[in-house]
Amino acid sequence: MPGERLRALILSDIHSNLEALAAVIGDARQRGGFDCVWCLGDMVGYGPDPSECLRLLREFDLVAVAGNHDYAAAGVIDASDFNGAAYAAIRWTGEQLDGDDKHFLTELPVVSVEPPFTLVHGSLRAPIVEYLLHPSQALATFGLMTTPYCLVGHSHQPFVCRDMAPMPMFLPLPEGGSVELDNGRCIINPGSVGQPRDRDSRASYAIFDSDGPAIEHYRVEYDIALTQSKMRRAGLPEYLINRLDYGV
Ligand code: ZN
């Protein structure tokens, strides 16, 4: 008997961007809705609304893993190796979060298995720090996967990486299209909700639909100017404010 249909909203690297998060949720609702949210980490850091983003996410049936910014904001890891702008933002973020927010972030696992997916922020070899962008890195994560599919974030670059011989192959995640999940193992990055870095300033996200099964990928515009004005008011670094315009 086939199981019940599941639609999971897949979000990564929201980075305290409430306008982008709300736009994504609204867009996903118009595209058939979702039953639960799978979050691949970096819910906070960089942006102006850390507590508000956590509150909104926790309204849903949520499975979340930790990103480096989540742990740094909660004091689980040391942020001294962050670059200047990221460090300034993470210190500011830590001051905005209340005890419950920090407890929530502290308790996040680094890996979560939601068959047939494994969720992790960076990679399975180095869950919160590795930017999985090269075939050799994908090979290492394929070697550690216990499920056919793995969802990653961290690089803010949407892609699907297929487990091919002799080396894994990175392919673009087609916008507005879907990737069928019946052709063997793959690693998928849905891109970043709140700070895209693929020269497209629109928020990026994905939906898993167990009917298919397939991963759908979408981009949605949001009110960048509003996010930027909040960042300016908060005194967040100009570099972080400006990059949202360009998706870099
Ligand atoms: Zn990130």
Side-chain angles (χ1 to χ4, degrees), residues 21-245:
L21 176 58
V24 161
I25 289 168
D27 194 62
R29 282 186 168 139
Q30 288 186 353
R31 296 183 186 278
F34 53 91
D35 306 298
C36 60
V37 176
W38 294 347
C39 185
L40 308 175
D42 279 5
M43 288 168 266
V44 302
Y46 294 137
D49 287 309
S51 282
E52 292 78 1
C53 286
L54 293 179
R55 199 173 311 136
L56 178 52
L57 285 167
R58 292 172 71 184
E59 287 176 14
F60 299 98
D61 177 359
L62 175 68
V63 175
V65 293
N68 49 328
H69 288 256
D70 301 319
Y71 272 177
V76 178
I77 60 166
D78 183 20
S80 58
D81 62 333
F82 279 36
N83 68 48
Y87 183 72
I90 214 68
R91 287 201 48 180
W92 180 87
T93 301
E95 290 163 9
Q96 313 306 311
L97 299 175
D98 66 21
D100 182 54
D101 293 333
K102 286 187 180 171
H103 178 76
F104 169 76
L105 294 175
T106 301
E107 295 295 306
L108 290 172
V110 293
V111 177
S112 184
V113 176
E114 297 292 315
F117 295 92
T118 300
L119 281 55
V120 66
H121 183 60
S123 75
L124 290 180
R125 176 165 69 174
I128 65 167
V129 295
E130 185 173 35
Y131 291 91
L132 199 159
L133 288 167
H134 300 287
S136 62
Q137 296 172 311
L139 200 61
T141 280
F142 278 124
L144 294 166
M145 281 162 56
T146 57
T147 58
Y149 314 116
C150 185
L151 301 171
V152 302
H154 195 42
S155 68
H156 302 207
Q157 307 286 338
F159 64 74
V160 53
C161 179
R162 296 198 175 276
D163 188 12
M164 297 170 73
M167 288 299 273
M169 187 179 285
F170 284 82
L171 300 162
L173 201 54
E175 181 194 335
S178 61
V179 173
E180 301 297 320
L181 295 176
D182 50 8
N183 292 321
R185 304 196 311 159
C186 59
I187 301 167
I188 291 169
N189 188 324
S192 168
V193 171
Q195 196 202 74
R197 293 181 192 163
D198 59 336
R199 302 187 182 281
D200 183 336
S201 61
R202 297 173 301 163
S204 183
Y205 74 99
I207 294 174
F208 165 62
D209 192 329
S210 65
D211 267 11
I215 296 271
E216 305 161 13
H217 174 226
Y218 301 110
R219 302 299 288 247
V220 58
E221 291 188 6
Y222 70 95
D223 192 343
I224 295 177
L226 178 55
T227 305
Q228 290 172 318
S229 69
K230 290 178 177 179
M231 292 173 77
R232 225 163 253 129
R233 220 175 306 141
L236 287 161
E238 202 63 26
Y239 164 71
L240 298 178
I241 297 170
N242 293 334
R243 69 188 299 179
L244 294 179
D245 281 323

